[in-house]
């Protein structure tokens, strides 16, 4: 399963923010990847990482504390694999520069997600879409590549619906999200806004859910991604939860399953075969709870080291066919951990040949 | 507008619980009603109210602190108008006993809500349904009567959809609720269950929403309520909010309105005419917010003294016709305040003749 | 009690922030003061207030929504009475400029609090210190004046200890605060920092408590303030509470009182006589609770329209003499409301003669 | 370091509550102890554990889910080592019955903590007090024994002060606690009481802190515990935190240290030598943070698998000598984990000879 006997040096762009810190936590002790460089904006560049970042969770790894923060340019950052936690405001140009310079960029930004030649991947769901990279290189003339992962709320939905779509053909989705504050980064949501409150709006979140889902559940025909024929209507809400986006779903299908049939499919789903055994792959990817009051973000968010998706309350729907609730860790499964799993899948499947070459 | 120059003595059953306390707060200084009796279970009966109740919010009115708690029987409690905050486990028999004894019972329990001869009323929405009481007395042989108000989550939805239903004919509703902890009473939800968490389940809540809504939006034909032809699919969630149930709605109509048309109807809606000017009637009943991040429970819950419903994010829906968000105070608008407004409407419209007579 | 038949035009500096908004809320419908101008930084100046401010709580008064935000200069802002919610970074120069231009500045910033010629006043506690203004004008050559109110945590402590100091002579104080997030302004404390958490540090708060208290409880000898001979040791903490700073106190006295004697003094305290009947003066100023679990910020913070201080758990101490808990609203009593009460006291006592004259 | 090649069968009394569940989580995979029995009240007895308990955190170990819940009697429960999470209302008689029947009882209840012949032990702090068991057996005539661990808030204080007491002689302590809701068990604190709130009272907590601390920091003279000569004044508060009690301390010493000297002692403290290397012993026991805003419960509570105590803000005090802040996990370090570490120390030091014999 290990891609080779050699380890890969990797870098994190946007390393001081909340997602950047999650990359650092998850890469600590990683069996294949060595975090050798951290990069951020001009304000942080030149400082030690410890000095530049306000570390938010757990213990800052000693091996990273002393790294000097670099600027986000392919001249300064030399690692062949680059995890990007950059804001969309700067991600467009920076990520392209790295791909042009021969690096594999694993991006959390929205900029390239919907581009025809850029894979938008949740490995278990559509790991085969990574084959789109050949097309990307041809089109863009890059020696490197950009692979994106989905918006964190979309990730919950796609992970929960992929098995059902494969089995019964999803056609319509109502999705109401209750999203954790960590999804807004740091400092992000002001405590005066969210303590004891619900904010029924997250900027740009509903369109992301509605557009990304059809690409994630689409099919790769050897050349391009054919989007799934699904119409989604999303309601995005912020709730006073630290980590974990919870989503209530009502779903219509081409072939209506009973709740029992759906549960059977969800319980037995294994996802894209090549993902099995990767270092960050949760086993199982989906956890199905029988209790009627689960999933709950605070209690279920860390399952599978934050990479599992927990599903519950699968039941009949009066208007569509099924209702269910799904939840996963927005910073791990929905951001940093998802990018790392994408990189692992590329490494394990030998698609990193030539990456990092000048 | 005042029903007469005389004031009505009233009692509260289940007076020590969270809704019972809300009745006491809202009746303090009421222009028409004098709270003269409080009643509760055997555990509290015989004690002073101050001794029996753990007062939760604001200041316990001095006039109530010293009242001796009575048992919930029409022998002990003599007031002609009785506000019931009883649990459904005991409400069935107790409320019937009071109605049989000639009292007007304004109930918050679910027991009689769906009975054919019992009005389920939100005054602005379907105040005309109170005329069903003539039928109730005939059927039951009661000299008194039972009037119910709806489940607190259903109340939010019905208040927001009534104007749209009247104008465009609602046919389908997806409703995802994010409900405050006070909806579960006291002690209710354990802090270990809800701090920083979401619980995607509230026992019996979804069926209540789905069944009560069609009666609330139904029409009274002079004899009985014809239920509205609406199919509802509900997802009920508990969130760490003190007061205020927030609901995300996707709605289909017979005659599809644009968001602008819907907003126009909502802004100009006045509701059942006889409600206007009642002591507890909010003015306006619906508050429409233009900001995309409203309503918010902590910031909007007290509008109209907790009796107004705040609506926002009225926008197009990809699957049905409209999406919107609505919120109101679950303990005031959705419980005690709703009951009091029902009683005010009955008093103002002269329907209390004979109430309290032996 | 009304200072004259005329109303005073007033302005708010720093009007868009959390304390600035509190001024606007509290001045709405004020019987003596008319809010005619709002001022803020260059970023907001020239916009309508509604456009410039993200309104945080309740309903933005319509009379203010359309005001054009001015710059914080005495040339642009012409009102004779100026409430300052400015940050300490700019308050020093700006407030002096207004005082020099003949205006009465009621400041919430720390800059002038400890200056020998500037009154630091909680009206009930040391309203007589306002007489220091004569000295201030002499020293500074200002036709206007600066009056400051205390840090919000210090305000809780001073209000609770003033009666005891007057009766028994406070000598030593241990104070541990649990402070609401609104004390940090907006956006202030990040939700990721405080949800389900305690932060045992607030920058510069402990020194403020330790130094301001002795001035507040000091005596005015006709020329200057003689600081009280009290040593204070403070521990400042931030907790996930919206409004209301709670303080645990252990106190030593010159003449040790029993808890009963202390309670007697607290219950009968009326404070500086001239405060009684002022529009914003709470009646009573101190609320003493007998229950052992009060005060609580969420339940007691709005007593006296947010201007009362609630005290409980007065009991013996093993090391010093007494322990007690005190709490008040940090934004109202501890900031905007305190400033307004200062202005009312000045107006009622005829000390505004000449204010606003060129 | 392992006590012998054999493993010990153990039982948990009061297994369905919050602390009982913590025992089960912490014993899962324990290298020395096999959890073979769970016991609870009559309401649960006879059911499977899964059926009887509402599992609160993480995943219920499969090996426990199917255990039949027994009654808390030495006839039904046969394991030689018994961890007691019983309420004080029943712990007195039940724990004595087990000790009389030859079992080692590790108790979290307050009943025997202050008894002259019962060790009250935090292993690193006063592990040598376990030698008191010889005296206990003599006095009580028991073949088994009772060992207690301290109240969860006292545990934080004792762990932080032990090194300083050993080096400089603590004489006076002001302690203000901010305690997590899990300290009250389940369902425990109602969400309506604590959301966005502080409760400045915890029943019986302040006396426990004041009395237990002097025993924990006392010295064993071969026969009995000489209590430390320390006077403590405690203020106990409940805050909306899930796990982790935070305590602000002001401390006076016989030999006043500088903050630097105190930090030096804290950093180099290793505690009772025999604890080193025990399976549940954190390494280090004390974590000293340099940042001025630590410890924080949500961010530091899991250090050392919940067994470490985090200390910060060591600084001079104006009234006593030092101020500091300490925090540890109330359910792990302060309850179940503490009991397990006590049992490990007894096992490793050969003091279990005869335990479990008839």
């Amino acid at each position: 399963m290990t891609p080779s006997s050699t380890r890969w040096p990797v870098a994190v762009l946007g390393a001081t923010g909340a997602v950047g810190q999650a990359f650092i936590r998850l890469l600590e002790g990683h069996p294949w990847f060595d975090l050798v460089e951290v990069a951020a904006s001009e304000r942080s560049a030149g400082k030690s990482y410890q000095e530049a970042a306000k570390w938010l969770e757990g213990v800052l790894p000693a091996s990273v504390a002393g790294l000097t923060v670099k600027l986000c340019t392919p001249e300064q950052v030399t690692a062949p694999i680059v995890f990007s936690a950059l804001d969309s405001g700067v991600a467009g140009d920076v990520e392209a520069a790295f791909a042009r310079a021969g690096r594999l960029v694993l991006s959390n930004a929205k900029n390239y997600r919907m581009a025809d030649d850029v894979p938008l991947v949740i490995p278990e769901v559509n790991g085969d879409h990574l084959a789109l990279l050949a097309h990307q290189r041809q089109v863009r003339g890059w020696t490197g590549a950009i692979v994106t992962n989905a918006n964190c709320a979309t990730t919950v939905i796609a992970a929960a619906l992929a098995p059902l779509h494969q089995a019964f053909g999803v056609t319509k989705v109502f999705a109401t999200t209750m999203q954790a504050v960590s999804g807004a980064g740091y400092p992000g949501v002001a405590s005066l806004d969210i303590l004891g409150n619900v904010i029924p709006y997250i900027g740009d979140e509903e369109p992301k859910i509605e557009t990304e889902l059809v690409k994630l559940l689409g099919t790769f025909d050897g050349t391009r991604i054919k989007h799934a024929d699904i119409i989604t209507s999303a309601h995005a809400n912020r709730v006073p939860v630290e980590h974990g986006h919870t989503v209530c779903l009502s779903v219509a299908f081409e072939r209506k399953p009973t709740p029992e049939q759906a549960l059977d499919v969800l319980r037995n789903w294994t996802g894209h075969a090549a993902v099995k055994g990767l270092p960050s792959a949760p086993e199982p990817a989906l956890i199905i709870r029988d209790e009627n009051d689960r999933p709950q973000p605070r209690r279920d968010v860390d399952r599978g080291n934050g990479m599992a998706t927990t599903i519950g309350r699968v039941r009949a729907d009066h208007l569509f066919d099924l209702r269910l609730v799904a939840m996963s860790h927005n910073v791990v499964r929905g951001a940093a951990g998802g990018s790392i799993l994408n990189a692992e899948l590329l490494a394990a499947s030998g698609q990193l040949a030539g990456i990092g070459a000048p």
Side-chain angles (χ1 to χ4, degrees), chain A:
Chain A
M1 182 49 53
T2 169
S4 81
S5 58
T6 57
R7 298 172 58 85
W8 296 85
V10 303
V12 174
L13 309 183
T16 56
V19 172
Q21 295 191 18
F23 272 119
I24 291 171
R25 274 198 307 277
L26 295 169
L27 288 168
E28 172 75 356
H30 192 280
W32 299 354
F33 301 138
D34 280 324
L35 177 58
V36 293
E37 292 168 306
V38 290
S41 67
E42 285 197 14
R43 198 161 39 85
S44 299
K47 298 181 185 167
S48 74
Y49 183 79
Q50 182 160 34
E51 198 184 349
K54 180 175 154 72
W55 189 253
L56 294 171
E57 205 171 320
V59 180
L60 171 58
S63 60
V64 177
L67 290 181
T68 299
V69 178
K70 300 186 171 182
L71 282 173
C72 295
T73 68
E75 290 73 35
Q76 291 219 353
V77 175
T78 62
I81 298 179
V82 172
F83 294 106
S84 166
L86 293 170
D87 281 344
S88 58
V90 299
D93 290 347
V94 171
E95 293 177 359
F98 275 88
R100 201 174 296 120
R103 319 303 172 73
L104 173 65
V105 179
L106 297 123
S107 169
N108 279 273
K110 69 175 178 183
N111 308 57
Y112 294 99
R113 282 179 190 156
M114 298 307 295
D116 280 349
D117 63 328
V118 175
L120 173 67
V121 175
I122 300 171
E124 298 93 331
V125 168
N126 65 335
D128 61 310
H129 289 199
L130 289 172
L132 188 63
L133 286 185
H135 177 59
Q136 182 186 108
R137 281 164 173 161
Q138 202 170 20
V139 171
R140 305 258 181 181
W142 290 342
T143 52
I146 294 178
V147 171
T148 62
N149 46 336
N151 162 273
C152 46
T154 315
T155 299
V156 182
I157 302 168
L161 294 188
L164 301 174
H165 184 56
Q166 290 160 12
F168 310 110
V170 170
T171 58
K172 299 177 191 173
V173 179
F174 268 112
T176 304
T177 71
M178 294 171 283
Q179 302 187 217
V181 295
S182 61
Y186 183 84
V189 183
S191 55
L192 267 181
D193 283 334
I194 200 66
L195 272 177
N197 203 13
V198 168
I199 304 175
Y201 176 73
I202 300 176
D204 204 23
E205 195 80 0
E206 294 168 358
K208 284 181 193 165
I209 293 170
E210 292 162 1
T211 58
E212 295 179 13
L213 184 64
V214 295
K215 184 171 178 181
L216 287 160
L217 298 186
T219 48
F220 179 60
D221 69 2
T223 315
R224 52 196 207 80
I225 309 299
K226 187 174 175 304
H227 288 195
D229 200 9
I230 298 172
I231 302 176
T232 304
S233 174
H235 298 254
N237 300 282
R238 187 77 67 193
V239 292
V241 165
E242 186 190 9
H243 295 310
H245 290 354
T246 307
V247 188
C248 293
L249 295 161
S250 279
V251 190
F253 296 91
E254 286 173 36
R255 298 170 295 283
K256 175 178 182 165
T258 64
E260 293 68 32
Q261 289 169 327
L263 280 164
D264 203 50
V265 163
L266 290 167
R267 284 214 179 84
N268 293 301
W269 189 68
T270 51
H272 185 59
V275 177
K276 197 175 164 59
L278 294 178
S280 302
E283 183 56 40
L286 301 183
I287 293 167
I288 316 302
R289 301 289 301 226
D290 294 324
E291 306 93 323
N292 55 19
D293 63 352
R294 300 300 270 266
Q296 295 176 12
R298 209 191 63 216
R299 286 176 168 143
D300 296 314
V301 75
D302 288 327
R303 297 295 303 276
N305 290 318
M307 289 295 286
T309 300
T310 302
I311 295 173
R313 301 207 70 207
V314 178
R315 63 203 195 281
D317 188 67
H318 302 307
L319 286 165
F320 289 171
D321 300 325
L322 286 182
R323 278 178 286 188
L324 63 154
V325 181
M327 192 277 308
S328 71
H329 196 305
N330 50 296
V331 179
V332 179
R333 174 82 255 189
S339 284
I340 293 173
L341 190 56
N342 277 338
E344 291 171 0
L345 179 53
L346 284 164
S349 57
Q351 293 183 65
L352 295 188
I355 282 297

